[in-house]
Structures are given as structure tokens and as C-alpha cells.
Amino acid sequence: ARLLHEGKVDESIRELHDARQMAPLSHVACGNLGCAYQAKNDDRAALYWYREANRLRPNDETATCALALLELRRGQADEARRLLVNFLQEDPHHVGALRLLGRLHQRQCHWSQAAGCFHRLIAVDPSNDEWPAQLQVCLDQLEIKDGIG
């Protein structure tokens, strides 16, 4: 990880592959490989390693959120939603996963589901001013939708 922060991506990838060989069941090594390949703009390899990290430890927040974001970027919203929903079943108060799921629902104009996520975020993290504002956006959209329908 240090080499990634120093911008030495290729060297980092070599060392992470060595670490992976020494610890083949390490979800951390797999997740770090995903990050390294993403830093190299190799989404195909990043996807492979994030999936492997998620397979080894499905409740790892870093691998799950990184994989969900990459799936969203690839246009795979259903897969991103599945990952986040499964993760939230294990950790229902995870702010990052709730935020990602809320944003995903907003992008798809699933306003009531998005509102549910932001309502949960208000309960989990009441000091954050972003959540009530996002909830209001969702509620306003529901009103517009209800007014048209």
C-alpha cells in the first residue's frame, strides 16, 4: 500500500502478487491488488481482484464498497445494489454503504427507496447535514411524481 501512495503502481502490483502467493486466502491482499489495478486504470483486473476479496470476505466494507462503485461505473447497477443490500444485512448502520445505496436509488429515480436510505442515515448519523437535504430531494421528487401520476 505504501508503494501505491508513492505512485509506484507497477512495483506495488508485483509486491502485492508476491504477498498474495504467501497468503492466498488474504482478502486484504486481493483488495489491495484491486486498488492497485484501479490506480493503473485496468478496470478488468481491478474487478477480478475486488470480486476475489469480496468472495473471501463478503462483509469487508472496503472490498464491498470498492466493488459496488466499480460495478456502478461499468453500468451494472443491479449488481452494485445486490452487493450493498447484502452487506447492509450484516452491518445495517454502515454510513458509506447506505450513502452509496441511496445515491444509486437516486440515479435510478427510485425515490422512495432512496428516501428510505437517507432516513436511515439520519438515524445513524444525525449530525450530518447532507442526509436531511438528500431526503428532502427524494420527498420532493415523490411529490412531483405523485402529482403527475
Side-chain angles (χ1 to χ4, degrees):
R2 174 186 52 81
L3 292 171
L4 276 178
H5 290 292
E6 294 173 1
K8 299 175 182 175
V9 177
D10 290 327
E11 188 178 344
S12 175
I13 289 172
R14 282 191 299 277
E15 286 196 13
L16 287 167
H17 276 289
D18 291 344
R20 171 75 162 82
Q21 288 204 340
M22 290 189 288
L25 298 178
S26 171
H27 73 284
V28 174
C30 293
N32 285 340
L33 276 163
C35 182
Y37 279 108
Q38 198 166 12
K40 194 174 178 168
N41 294 317
D42 185 344
D43 285 352
R44 189 177 60 79
L47 185 65
Y48 172 83
W49 288 110
Y50 284 140
R51 283 181 177 161
E52 186 65 11
N54 187 259
R55 183 188 67 78
L56 291 169
R57 177 91 43 99
N59 61 344
D60 179 71
E61 66 183 282
T62 303
T64 300
C65 290
L67 180 54
L69 282 169
L70 190 54
E71 292 288 12
L72 277 174
R73 201 165 85 195
R74 295 177 60 242
Q76 302 300 316
D78 289 342
E79 178 62 13
R81 182 177 33 261
R82 185 193 66 76
L83 288 162
L84 294 168
V85 167
N86 288 345
F87 178 80
L88 286 166
Q89 288 175 349
E90 298 296 319
D91 186 357
H93 305 296
H94 191 276
V95 172
L98 281 169
R99 180 178 178 275
L100 277 173
L101 187 58
R103 297 291 178 146
L104 185 152
H105 286 308
Q106 282 179 320
R107 283 187 206 150
Q108 295 186 313
C109 299
H110 298 157
W111 300 110
S112 61
Q113 292 95 329
C117 290
F118 291 112
H119 185 74
R120 287 171 61 188
L121 280 163
I122 291 168
V124 172
D125 184 16
S127 64
N128 190 321
D129 293 337
E130 179 184 350
W131 314 142
Q134 292 301 321
L135 176 59
Q136 190 59 54
V137 167
C138 297
L139 295 175
D140 290 347
Q141 290 300 317
L142 279 172
E143 285 181 19
I144 291 169
K145 184 178 166 185
D146 288 346
I148 293 172

